[in-house]
Amino acid sequence: MIIIMKPNAGEKEIENVVSIVRGKGLDVNLSQGKEVTVIGVIGDKTKLDGSNVEIAPGVEKAVPLTESYKLCNIKFHPEPTVVRCGDVRIGGGATVIAGPCAVENEQQMLETARGVKAAGAHILRGGAYKPRTSPYSFQGLKEEGLKLLRKAADAAHMPCVTEVIDFDSLKTACRYVDMLQIGARNMQNFELLKEAGHAGVPVVLKRGMSATIEEWLNAAEYILASGCREVVLCERGIRTFERSTRNTLDIAAVPVLKAKTHLPVIVDPSHAAGVRAYIPALTRAALAADADGVMIEVHNNPACALSDGDQSLDIAQFADLMASIPCLK
């Protein structure tokens, strides 16, 4: 349930409604916008039966929610959320996250970080823990990779983000990075989602390869319910029958999410395409659909990449892409 206050409702009237709700053993999420204050009721709303909260002074109306996700619901929080990663804002603009799929060595990271920064990227990405389909594929440098990522980010004066895959990697990553990423394979790893919510840093949550939007939003709810209110949703393509691309980019997910949640939405055209030639077009499509940014794989030498070289742009290609899109200049 959400309780919508009248535009002229005062602080005492708002505090009175909050007191009524909490007095019934329920929690509240208070969202105070420029025009309207919305009080989200968290818990079993039947506990409010008989309280007459809908006729309390200052209340415009009480609206039941049918969706299972509450904290990420735009009805709870009508104002768009802006997430901060270091000194970078995600939401309300076109934020660019760029870097290699996997951290490989110091030279690779320093060259790539400086290259993407010069081209206009805002946040450096790099994988230190790599969950791979094959157990024989490169699995990442782990903590050593995190050290190299941090060094490169500092050299380029950028915040950085990395994927975590379990409790140990999450705990270690928090010592080095400004933002955590939960990958597609772990979107419904609910214990990891809870732990990420307790970590005290922003989180990028990628869509699972076969997840519906409702399942994705409920996964985000786990993070929010655990205390982290800075979550970014990342559409990275879903698995369909089509094999022309690595995944099928669900570009419609962007406007659908904008109608359902206040959380920022970004798009990863690299994992969706799997082919570097398609990345510029998908990037433009994502931004045209009102995505709050993109996450693009960039490598200083894709031909020698230990992971996802076919879908990685080199630094010159990335610079050309950035220069070709007015809102990224």
Side-chain angles (χ1 to χ4, degrees):
M1 173 186 289
I2 59 172
I3 301 166
I4 302 173
M5 304 299 293
K6 294 177 179 177
N8 60 350
E11 287 298 321
K12 287 186 178 180
E13 292 170 321
I14 295 170
E15 290 172 5
N16 176 56
V17 173
V18 170
S19 178
I20 293 172
V21 173
R22 287 183 170 156
K24 295 292 185 177
L26 301 167
D27 201 359
V28 301
N29 180 71
L30 189 62
S31 178
Q32 293 181 288
K34 295 178 181 178
E35 302 291 335
V36 177
T37 294
V38 175
I39 301 171
V41 179
I42 303 172
D44 181 4
K45 68 179 185 297
T46 60
K47 292 181 179 180
L48 284 175
D49 291 349
S51 66
N52 293 323
V53 67
E54 65 273 10
I55 61 172
V59 172
E60 178 74 33
K61 58 183 176 180
V63 181
L65 290 181
T66 57
E67 299 91 352
S68 55
Y69 50 90
K70 311 297 183 186
L71 295 173
C72 65
N73 198 314
I74 198 169
K75 296 173 186 175
F76 255 50
H77 194 298
E79 296 292 322
T81 289
V82 174
V83 172
R84 292 186 178 273
C85 176
D87 59 356
V88 174
R89 293 161 57 93
I90 306 175
T95 303
V96 179
I97 304 171
C101 176
V103 177
E104 298 167 4
N105 57 64
E106 183 173 344
Q107 180 181 357
Q108 170 232 15
M109 287 308 304
L110 289 172
E111 287 184 6
T112 304
R114 288 170 178 151
V116 298
K117 174 69 172 184
H122 307 100
I123 300 171
L124 180 67
R125 62 151 292 162
Y129 302 90
K130 300 304 301 176
R132 307 296 296 279
T133 301
S134 170
Y136 307 114
S137 299
F138 178 60
Q139 304 289 313
L141 297 179
K142 302 178 174 58
E143 187 169 6
E144 181 59 29
L146 292 172
K147 293 177 181 178
L148 295 175
L149 175 61
R150 181 76 265 169
K151 183 175 182 177
D154 289 343
H157 305 290
M158 303 172 75
C160 59
V161 57
T162 200
E163 181 177 355
V164 294
I165 58 175
D166 54 25
F167 290 1
D168 288 340
S169 62
L170 189 154
K171 183 178 179 180
T172 305
C174 284
R175 301 203 299 266
Y176 296 97
V177 301
D178 304 284
M179 175 178 271
L180 302 174
Q181 175 185 308
I182 305 294
R185 289 177 173 87
N186 277 307
M187 189 208 80
Q188 289 185 307
N189 183 339
F190 301 122
E191 294 305 314
L192 182 60
L193 297 178
K194 293 177 192 175
E195 198 69 16
H198 294 310
V201 295
V203 179
V204 174
L205 178 64
K206 286 197 165 187
R207 183 181 185 178
M209 61 184 70
S210 299
T212 66
I213 288 176
E214 184 173 356
E215 289 168 339
W216 187 11
L217 288 170
N218 274 294
E221 191 79 3
Y222 271 91
I223 303 173
L224 293 166
S226 298
C228 175
R229 298 305 168 91
E230 294 196 294
V231 177
V232 177
L233 301 172
C234 182
E235 162 62 36
R236 44 79 73 195
I238 53 177
R239 177 168 290 175
T240 71
F241 59 83
E242 181 55 61
R243 300 268 56 91
S244 297
T245 53
R246 180 173 179 176
N247 297 289
T248 298
L249 181 62
D250 182 8
I251 203 70
V254 178
V256 170
L257 288 168
K258 292 284 184 174
K260 292 178 176 291
T261 182
H262 55 89
L263 300 177
V265 182
I266 65 173
V267 170
D268 177 351
S270 302
H271 276 90
V275 180
R276 70 172 61 90
Y278 304 155
I279 292 171
L282 295 182
T283 298
R284 295 186 184 95
L287 296 173
D290 200 28
D292 295 296
V294 289
M295 177 182 285
I296 299 175
E297 291 195 350
V298 183
H299 196 287
N300 65 326
N301 186 3
C304 296
L306 297 180
S307 177
D308 288 352
D310 289 343
Q311 66 190 40
S312 298
L313 303 180
D314 64 27
I315 294 169
Q317 291 167 334
F318 177 70
D320 287 344
L321 172 59
M322 293 290 288
S324 72
I325 301 176
C327 67
L328 299 182
K329 292 181 181 178

